[in-house]
Structure formats: structure tokens, C-alpha cells
């Protein structure tokens, strides 16, 4: 297929780097890439899913490159930090030769020998007879003993650290766009507090969803599903993030931000998570969850819930729909089998209609920005091209209702949001301008 | 039921690969020599929950696969096609064609899921709470022994 293109050195390296992305605690994470791929503050980790959709399934097991022959709707989270041999995947795994080393760390002879040794060992194992298959199954049993060296990686995955980072970015955007002089200490406290709150919420979400996560391809490699951590430890970790996080926001920033943070944790863990299996309304609740972090950033900076904060929240709220609805279009089988109530399964036409509606709403909200004194009139003008483009893709998705249009819309949403926030920041109404205006009026 | 037996020297639980039908990973629970009644209650409850979970998801997944197969067969038949093409490969329907099946399956199983969810949340909380109690009890015991050692 396009294997040759995908396995080209630079592409493979890109693939490897992107593959590294979910595990920032241990592997390097190119920040540029993060910024490019933008701010997707969906707490139901759609961002990871996107990466895997885009790339060929080149996974890395023990420095070994394997190609999984799997349909593209079933991305698998990389079992990256596993030192031991991994559990049996349902897909067929074929060994492919490692790409010729261009990357400095790969060019060392010892590594190459390791490659070959593991490669040949794996091949020998694959050729084993029935007796070998049985012992292979036995090898897949793991002792449930917590390894302290693995703990940072496990907690990073438990707290969906990448998603948390994106949530913190939207909160930072809210802080930066707020019309007050920039306070670095406040900014850092807000970021840390929001990050901790997000870690807590994500951990509780995983704690609740173990059997469901086991049954969905996207989520079957999570720490609790694999037994790498006990539920008790997961809950303790969540509590030890939530308490300092909310305390930091309430005492170090202001009580309003703290209250919003606590409310958001509650909304995500006690409303959205159980609702996913009861009613399609969960998507709207989830959109509110995504809208709150930038509002928190704004209230952290200004101390009050102004119209500007609500506008920013509104933009994030509207953005969630094209983003999530497009993604959920490709997950209908897993949702149906797992018992998740999503629009894409139960009300497909509404799913596409809502996505389109909110793409158009983004144009309206961008126009509101100068009216509410958040930005200058440049903003609706220069954001019009990208808003029109996402609306166009939304219309295509509405009309065509197929995989390709849903994917196009989803990928667009990933760069659309950071772009929009960046434009907002550059068009931010300067404080001097405002002071001049108020002087003129008085 | 798996034939796996953890090594004799191990004093931890062991977790296995995902089950073929339920996709859940089975756990073989370790029985410590000085297991307290609380510890035993936790272990037995976890074992029971595991069996209950396994039953639910295995039946759910099997019925999904069966329903999907029947749906595909009936749709292909309506089109006048066979189940497999000339090369012997099974013909699959596109996601758009399968959408009716997905919607139908979800609504048929909705009540079952509601009951399951309630039960699962209850069990999950109970297990975690018991784990907390057992951990506390163990810490307390260890503290008690240390005190007696110091005393002697």
C-alpha cells in the first residue's frame, strides 16, 4: 500500500516521535508538534485517537518495529513503557525490518545488535509449535506487583497527561486573552492547579470505566485495564491531585477559579462519565466540561466571570461538536458493542446536523469578540477563512456522511482551534486602547 | 478457565492476557497464609465480581458477533450476493450499511446495560473500599508488631 512512503526514514521517525507523544514522562516530546496539533481539550481523549488514525500502525515493541494489519478504525495505544513481553493482541503482527538508522541514538552498534537479537528471537517465537503457543500464553501472565520505576509512566497514562497538557493550554489561552496585565505567578499557579484537577478527573474516569475500556480498541491498554495499578492506588492518586489542585486554585488564585475547577471535576466524573452509557445528552455535558478550562483561565486573571470569559467558553463549547461528532463517526461499532449512547449511533442525522450547526456558530462567536471588547475587529476578519473552511468541511460531513468527510472534519478541528486562539491572542484589544476609549467617552 | 498456575514463591496476584470472548483480563488471586477475615471477604468478592463480569461481557460480545453476522448475511442475501467472494474472503459491509445494525443492537441492549452499570459501580466502589480497609488493617498490624518488638 503506502507502506513504502510510510516507512521512509523521515516519516518513520515522525511516526516514532508521534508515537512517543502519549508518554511524555519518559520519552522526548517535540513541543512544536504539540503546538501544531493544537489544543484539543476533549477529556475523552480523542487527540490520541487522531494520531493513530493518521499513521500506519507502526508500533514499537522493545525497540522492534512491527506492522499491525488492522483496519484504520481500530487504533491501538502504544504499549510503550513495557519492558516485558506484551499481552496477545487480537491482530496479526508481522515483523518488519527496522528502518536504516539515521537517528543518532539508533546508529550505535550495540542497539543494532539488540534490534537483530530481539528480531530473531521474536521470529523464532513466532515459528514455535503448539506447545510453544501454550508457554507463550503463560508468559503473558504478569505478576501484579507495582514496579516503582514504572510508576511515573503508569500515572502519566492514568491521568491522560497529554490531554491534561492540552486542557492546561486552553486555560492558559483564557488567561492570556483576559484584558489584564499579565501576572506570571498567577499564571503558573493557574496552570498547575488546572493540570492537577485534570489529572484527578481523568484518573477517576479511568477508575469507573475499566470493563468498558477493556472492550474498546482505543482504550484497552490503559493501566487499570492491564492491572498495572490497583483501583485503590488510582483513587488515592486522584485524591492527592484533586485536593492540592483545587486548594491551589482556591487559595493561590481566587475562590471563583477553585470553585470552577471543583465543579468541572464533578461534572466530568459524576455526570459525563456515567451519562455516556445512559443518554446522548452526555455530548453536551462533555462540551461544557471542555468549555470550562478557558473560563477558569480568564477568571484566574481577572477575578470575575465577564462576558469575555463566557465568549471564550462558548467558542470552546461550539468547537467540541465538530471535533467529537466527526471522531465518533468512525467508532460506531465499538460504541454499539460497548453500550455507549452516542449520537453517531442512535441519531446519525442529528450528529451531523449538530456538527455543522456549531461550525457556523463559531463564525458568529468570532464576530461577537470585538463587540464584547475582547479583540479588535481584525479578529472576525482574519479568522473568517479558517471558520469558513471548517464550516465547509462540516457541510461536506453533513451531506456525505462517510468516513473520509468525518476524518477531514476531525483533523481540521485539531489545527483550527489553536489557530483560532492564536489569532484571538494577536488581535487582543490592548489595554492602552481601552483606556484611551474610556477617556474619550468621559 | 485458565490452566495458569502462578509460581509457588510468588505472594502477589497474577493477571493474564485478555479473554477471547470478554476481553477482560483474568486475575488469579493469591491467598496469603495469614489472611484476615476482611482480606478473605475482599478476595472472594473480587473473584465473584470477576466471574460476573466475565459472564456479562462474554455473552454480550458473542451476541454482538452473532447479530452482526446474521445482519451481514441478510443484507448480502437481499443484494443477491454470497457471504464470501471468489477468493474465499468474507464480504464486509461498509460502516454506513452497518449503521442500522449498530443502532438496533444498542437500543436492544440498553436496559441490560443500565442494570449492569448500576451493579458495576456498586461493586467497583465496594472492592475499592474493602481494599482501603485491608490496607489500613495491614498497616495497623505491622505497627502493632513493631511496637511489641520494641517492647521486648
Amino acid at each position: 500500500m503506502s507502506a513504502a512512503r510510510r516507512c521512509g526514514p523521515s516519516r518513520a521517525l515522525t511516526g516514532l516521535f508521534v508515537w512517543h507523544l502519549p508518554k511524555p514522562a519518559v520519552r522526548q516530546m517535540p513541543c512544536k508538534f504539540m503546538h501544531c496539533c493544537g489544543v484539543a481539550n476533549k477529556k475523552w481523549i480523542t487527540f490520541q485517537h487522531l494520531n493513530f488514525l493518521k499513521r500506519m500502525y507502526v508500533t514499537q515493541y522493545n525497540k522492534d518495529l512491527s506492522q499491525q494489519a488492522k483496519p484504520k478504525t481500530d487504533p491501538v495505544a502504544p504499549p510503550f513503557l513495557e519492558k516485558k513481553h506484551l499481552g496477545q493482541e487480537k491482530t496479526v503482527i508481522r515483523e518488519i525490518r527496522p528502518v536504516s538508522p539515521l537517528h543518532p541514538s539508533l546508529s550505535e552498534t550495540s542497539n543494532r545488535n539488540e534490534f537483530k537479537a530481539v528480531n530473531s528471537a521474536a521470529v523464532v517465537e513466532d515459528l514455535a509449535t503448539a506447545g510453544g503457543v501454550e508457554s507463550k500464553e503463560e508468559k503473558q501472565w504478569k505478576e501484579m506487583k507495582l514496579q516503582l520505576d514504572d510508576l511515573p509512566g503508569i500515572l502519566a497514562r492514568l491521568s491522560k497527561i497529554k490531554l491534561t497538557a492540552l486542557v492546561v493550554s486552553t486555560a492558559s489561552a483564557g488567561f492570556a486573552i483576559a484584558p489584564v496585565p499579565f501576572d506570571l505567578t498567577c499564571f503558573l499557579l493557574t496552570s498547575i492547579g488546572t493540570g492537577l484537577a485534570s489529572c484527578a478527573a481523568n484518573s477517576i474516569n479511568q477508575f469507573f470505566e475499566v470493563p468498558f475500556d477493556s472492550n474498546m480498541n482505543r482504550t484497552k491498554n490503559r493501566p487499570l485495564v492491564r492491572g498495572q495499578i490497583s483501583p485503590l492506588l488510582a483513587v488515592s492518586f486522584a485524591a492527592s491531585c484533586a485536593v492540592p489542585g483545587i486548594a491551589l486554585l482556591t487559595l493561590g488564585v481566587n475562590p471563583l477559579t477553585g470553585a470552577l475547577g471543583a465543579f468541572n471535576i464533578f461534572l466530568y466524573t459524576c455526570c459525563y462519565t456515567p451519562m455516556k452509557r445512559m443518554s446522548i445528552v452526555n455530548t453536551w455535558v462533555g462540551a461544557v466540561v471542555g468549555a470550562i478550562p478557558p473560563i477558569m483561565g480568564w477568571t484566574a486573571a481577572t477575578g470575575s466571570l465577564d462576558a469575555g470569559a463566557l465568549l471564550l467558553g462558548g467558542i470552546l463549547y461550539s468547537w467540541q461538536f465538530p471535533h467529537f461528532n466527526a471522531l465518533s463517526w468512525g467508532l460506531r461499532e465499538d460504541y454499539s458493542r460497548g453500550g455507549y449512547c452516542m449520537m453517531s449511533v442512535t441519531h446519525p442525522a442529528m450528529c451531523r446536523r449538530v456538527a455543522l450547526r456549531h461550525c457556523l456558530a463559531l463564525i458568529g462567536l468570532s464576530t461577537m469578540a470585538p463587540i464584547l471588547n475582547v479583540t479588535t475587529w481584525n479578529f472576525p476578519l482574519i479568522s473568517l477563512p479558517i471558520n469558513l473552511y471548517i464550516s465547509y468541511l462540516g457541510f461536506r460531513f453533513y451531506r456525505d456522511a462517510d468516513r473520509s468527510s468525518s476524518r477531514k472534519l476531525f483533523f481540521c478541528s485539531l489545527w483550527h482551534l489553536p489557530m483560532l486562539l492564536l489569532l484571538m491572542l494577536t488581535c487582543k484589544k490592548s489595554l492602552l486602547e481601552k483606556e484611551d476609549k474610556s477617556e474619550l467617552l468621559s | 478457565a485458565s490452566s495458569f498456575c502462578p509460581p509457588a514463591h510468588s505472594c502477589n496476584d497474577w493477571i493474564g492476557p485478555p479473554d477471547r470472548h470478554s476481553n477482560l483480563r483474568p486475575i488469579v488471586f493469591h491467598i496469603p497464609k495469614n489472611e484476615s477475615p476482611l482480606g478473605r471477604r475482599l478476595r472472594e468478592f473480587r473473584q465473584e465480581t470477576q466471574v460476573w463480569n466475565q459472564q456479562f461481557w462474554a455473552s454480550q460480545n458473542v451476541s454482538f458477533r452473532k447479530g452482526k453476522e446474521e445482519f451481514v448475511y441478510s443484507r448480502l442475501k437481499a443484494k443477491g450476493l454470497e457471504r464470501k467472494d471468489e477468493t474465499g474472503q468474507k464480504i464486509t459491509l461498509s460502516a454506513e450499511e452497518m449503521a442500522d445494525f449498530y443502532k438496533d443492537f444498542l437500543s436492544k441492549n440498553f436496559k441490560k446495560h443500565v442494570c449492569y452499570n448500576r451493579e458495576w459501580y456498586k461493586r467497583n466502589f465496594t472492592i475499592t473500599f474493602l481494599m482501603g480497609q485491608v490496607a489500613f488493617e495491614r498497616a495497623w498490624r505491622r505497627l502493632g508488631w513493631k511496637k511489641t518488638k520494641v517492647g521486648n
Side-chain angles (χ1 to χ4, degrees):
Chain A
M1 234 189 359
S2 40
R5 170 173 68 91
R6 295 231 169 88
C7 289
S10 56
R11 281 291 187 132
L13 289 173
T14 319
L16 282 175
F17 277 126
V18 171
W19 209 251
H20 287 203
L21 210 53
K23 314 288 182 276
V26 180
R27 303 290 169 182
Q28 52 177 310
M29 175 170 61
C31 294
K32 268 188 251 169
F33 182 84
M34 269 255 288
H35 288 306
C36 289
C37 273
V39 175
N41 66 334
K42 277 310 242 201
K43 282 190 176 178
W44 51 106
I45 191 79
T46 56
F47 186 71
Q48 268 183 356
H49 184 89
L50 132 89
N51 286 332
F52 310 155
L53 275 179
K54 215 170 188 174
R55 274 142 194 91
M56 184 74 119
Y57 298 124
V58 179
T59 58
Q60 205 183 31
Y61 290 140
N62 299 325
K63 289 187 184 170
D64 222 341
L65 291 175
S66 315
Q67 185 174 344
Q68 287 188 310
K70 229 185 190 179
K72 279 187 182 171
T73 42
D74 303 329
V76 175
F80 209 66
L81 294 176
E82 280 300 287
K83 289 171 191 166
K84 304 162 191 159
H85 186 74
L86 296 147
Q88 186 99 25
E89 296 291 345
K90 277 189 183 164
T91 55
V92 174
I93 298 175
R94 296 187 193 87
E95 297 290 330
I96 62 174
R97 288 221 188 79
V99 170
S100 57
L102 282 178
H103 196 266
S105 69
L106 292 176
S107 60
E108 287 163 24
T109 342
S110 56
N111 278 352
R112 238 182 276 174
N113 287 337
E114 225 182 282
F115 262 59
K116 286 182 184 161
V118 176
N119 238 333
S120 47
V123 165
V124 166
E125 210 174 87
D126 280 347
L127 295 174
T129 53
V133 170
E134 203 181 84
S135 70
K136 198 178 183 182
E137 211 226 90
E138 276 188 20
K139 281 189 195 151
Q140 290 162 11
W141 280 80
K142 304 241 187 317
E143 192 170 8
M144 289 178 85
K145 190 179 180 182
L146 184 66
Q147 309 283 358
L148 283 173
D149 342 326
D150 295 339
L151 194 62
I154 291 172
L155 292 179
R157 271 176 291 162
L158 183 70
S159 59
K160 301 189 207 174
I161 196 88
K162 235 173 29 69
L163 181 60
T164 297
L166 300 172
V167 168
V168 170
S169 312
T170 53
S172 312
F175 192 98
I177 294 174
V180 286
F182 185 82
D183 179 349
L184 185 64
T185 328
C186 192
F187 176 77
L188 290 172
L189 290 174
T190 310
S191 303
I192 298 172
T194 309
L196 288 171
S198 172
C199 284
N202 289 329
S203 305
I204 296 289
N205 169 269
Q206 290 199 19
F207 165 72
F208 284 159
E209 305 239 287
V210 179
F212 316 118
D213 284 345
S214 313
N215 274 285
M216 288 186 64
N217 282 309
R218 191 170 63 90
T219 52
K220 64 187 180 187
N221 286 306
R222 287 184 170 170
L224 283 170
V225 172
R226 289 171 115 174
Q228 291 172 314
I229 194 175
S230 78
L232 179 67
L233 201 56
V235 172
S236 312
F237 173 70
S240 62
C241 283
V243 170
I246 300 301
L248 199 64
L249 290 172
T250 313
L251 304 170
V253 181
N254 59 53
L256 177 60
T257 313
L260 283 172
F263 175 66
N264 213 19
I265 295 179
F266 166 75
L267 202 63
Y268 182 61
T269 58
C270 303
C271 298
Y272 169 70
T273 302
M275 247 182 158
K276 275 162 70 174
R277 312 183 55 78
M278 293 195 294
S279 153
I280 56 170
V281 175
N282 72 74
T283 309
W284 282 265
V285 174
V288 174
V289 171
I292 289 181
I295 298 179
M296 282 169 68
W298 183 289
T299 60
T302 64
S304 62
L305 206 60
D306 334 288
L310 296 174
L311 175 76
L312 212 54
I315 288 178
L316 263 292
Y317 175 83
S318 278
W319 176 84
Q320 306 289 338
F321 292 98
H323 176 76
F324 182 70
N325 287 3
L327 172 76
S328 69
W329 201 254
L331 297 173
R332 284 178 286 178
E333 173 163 0
D334 274 353
Y335 285 151
S336 166
R337 188 167 54 87
Y340 283 106
C341 297
M342 300 296 176
M343 266 193 278
S344 57
V345 181
T346 59
H347 299 79
M350 176 163 74
C351 177
R352 299 184 331 264
R353 207 169 46 231
V354 165
L356 176 60
R357 200 194 306 159
H358 283 273
C359 286
L360 297 169
L362 284 171
I363 301 177
L365 287 166
S366 300
T367 318
M368 290 281 289
I371 299 172
L372 294 174
N373 270 331
V374 180
T375 65
T376 60
W377 278 99
N378 290 332
F379 175 64
L381 290 170
I382 59 176
S383 64
L384 197 63
I386 59 171
N387 284 339
L388 283 176
Y389 183 62
I390 199 175
S391 301
Y392 166 69
L393 290 179
F395 175 70
R396 286 291 299 270
F397 176 50
Y398 174 73
R399 190 192 64 185
D400 302 340
D402 60 3
R403 244 182 81 75
S404 99
S405 57
S406 70
R407 285 186 58 166
K408 281 206 185 96
L409 179 60
F410 176 69
F411 288 128
C412 174
S413 73
L414 291 174
W415 60 255
H416 174 271
L417 183 67
M419 196 66 162
L420 196 69
L421 291 174
L422 205 65
L423 290 174
M424 228 177 163
L425 194 58
T426 56
C427 295
K428 177 180 169 181
K429 207 158 212 172
S430 78
L431 296 166
L432 289 166
E433 239 185 81
K434 276 196 180 163
E435 281 167 15
D436 289 342
K437 266 205 174 143
S438 57
E439 272 180 28
L440 283 169
L441 291 169
S442 61
Chain B
S2 171
S3 54
F4 177 77
C5 238
H9 62 267
S10 163
C11 44
N12 288 303
D13 300 336
W14 283 69
I15 190 165
D19 179 78
R20 232 163 46 90
H21 299 296
S22 69
N23 295 315
L24 301 175
R25 290 175 184 254
I27 299 178
V28 171
F29 297 100
H30 168 71
I31 307 171
K33 287 180 222 114
N34 53 349
E35 187 179 52
S36 68
L38 192 66
R40 182 186 167 154
R41 194 172 129 211
L42 170 65
R43 180 177 52 82
E44 287 176 348
F45 190 65
R46 286 178 79 187
Q47 182 69 45
E48 189 201 313
T49 302
Q50 185 169 272
V51 170
W52 167 81
N53 245 336
Q54 170 72 19
Q55 269 174 356
F56 178 83
W57 285 104
S59 84
Q60 184 74 4
N61 290 334
V62 163
S63 96
F64 182 83
R65 255 173 251 152
K66 207 172 119 207
K68 184 177 175 186
E69 194 57 40
E70 284 169 9
F71 179 82
V72 172
Y73 180 72
S74 67
R75 280 289 164 100
L76 287 175
K77 206 165 160 200
K79 281 192 195 172
L81 296 163
E82 290 295 321
R83 188 69 187 85
K84 294 190 177 172
D85 64 15
E86 311 86 53
T87 62
Q89 289 257 8
K90 275 190 170 174
I91 305 178
T92 53
L93 296 176
S94 73
E96 310 316 319
E97 290 168 302
M98 294 300 301
D100 291 330
F101 169 69
Y102 296 147
K103 180 174 179 178
D104 190 51
F105 187 83
L106 186 66
S107 54
K108 273 210 201 109
N109 287 274
F110 182 73
K111 277 219 181 90
K112 225 201 272 178
H113 276 295
V114 168
C115 294
Y116 171 80
N117 296 340
R118 213 174 292 151
E119 187 65 26
W120 160 248
Y121 270 68
K122 257 196 274 173
R123 284 176 182 264
N124 198 22
F125 276 127
T126 310
I127 288 173
T128 311
F129 185 68
L130 284 172
M131 278 181 163
Q133 283 185 307
V134 168
F136 189 71
E137 185 188 65
R138 257 188 230 145
W140 197 249
R141 252 199 261 165
R142 216 173 290 163
L143 222 75
W145 283 335
K146 269 197 189 146
K147 278 195 180 150
T148 51
K149 271 192 186 166
V150 169
N152 290 348

